[in-house]
């Protein structure tokens, strides 16, 4: 003979509390000033690292460090990316640019773009 356990009825969320957390109301705790740099006699603007959409960054990071850096540049540059890509970029300059960008965004070089700034 099996014993049937009584389960509590599912609690219904009150109509005046349709969610547990309002992500739309969350504001950045850091100044999201863009990072502006000069390269090949042109001014380029990176959106602040903390303002970037994390989903494409995660995808890029799955393919290694170099891909993560380039994926970050692509997202940060937005519509400027095709022109920047055509300009070309030596690897040693890419690392110097990424380090300066991280510093501007309040991150230590080597820290993941998805990591919270300290």
């Amino acid at each position: 003979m099996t014993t049937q356990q009584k389960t509590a009825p599912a609690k219904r969320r009150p109509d005046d509390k349709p969610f547990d957390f309002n992500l739309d109301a969350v504001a950045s705790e850091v100044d999201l000033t863009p990072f502006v740099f000069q390269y090949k006699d042109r001014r380029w603007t990176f959106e602040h690292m903390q303002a970037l959409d994390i989903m494409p960054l995660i995808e890029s990071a799955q393919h290694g460090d170099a891909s993560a850096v380039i994926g970050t540049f692509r997202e940060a540059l937005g519509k400027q990316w095709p022109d920047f890509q055509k300009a070309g970029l030596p690897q040693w300059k890419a690392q110097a640019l990424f380090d300066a960008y991280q510093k501007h965004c309040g991150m230590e070089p080597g820290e993941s773009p998805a990591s919270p700034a300290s």
Side-chain angles (χ1 to χ4, degrees):
M1 187 158 144
T2 60
T3 308
Q4 292 182 347
Q5 295 179 341
K6 291 184 180 180
T7 57
K11 291 184 181 178
R12 186 166 184 260
R13 183 175 309 284
D15 290 338
D16 64 336
K17 296 190 188 255
F19 45 78
D20 294 312
F21 179 70
N22 185 354
L23 187 57
D24 292 330
V26 175
S28 175
E29 295 180 8
V30 298
D31 177 11
L32 299 177
T33 302
F35 175 70
V36 181
F37 64 99
Q38 179 178 322
Y39 180 57
K40 294 202 172 182
D41 297 321
R42 181 172 166 182
R43 176 183 156 155
W44 304 89
T45 302
F46 280 169
E47 188 174 342
H48 193 283
M49 201 174 285
Q50 293 293 319
L52 301 179
D53 182 351
I54 196 167
M55 299 307 177
L57 298 179
I58 290 170
E59 177 66 29
S60 294
Q62 292 176 0
H63 303 286
D65 291 345
S67 183
V69 169
I70 297 305
T72 300
F73 289 173
R74 182 177 49 248
E75 289 301 309
L77 284 165
K79 292 178 182 177
Q80 298 174 86
W81 172 250
D83 290 340
F84 188 75
Q85 190 177 24
K86 287 177 192 169
L89 185 66
Q91 188 170 341
W92 63 272
K93 284 193 177 192
Q95 188 60 54
L97 177 59
F98 192 69
D99 290 348
Y101 180 41
Q102 284 183 304
K103 184 176 179 182
H104 169 82
C105 294
M107 300 173 75
E108 293 295 320
E111 189 174 351
S112 166
S115 299
S118 9

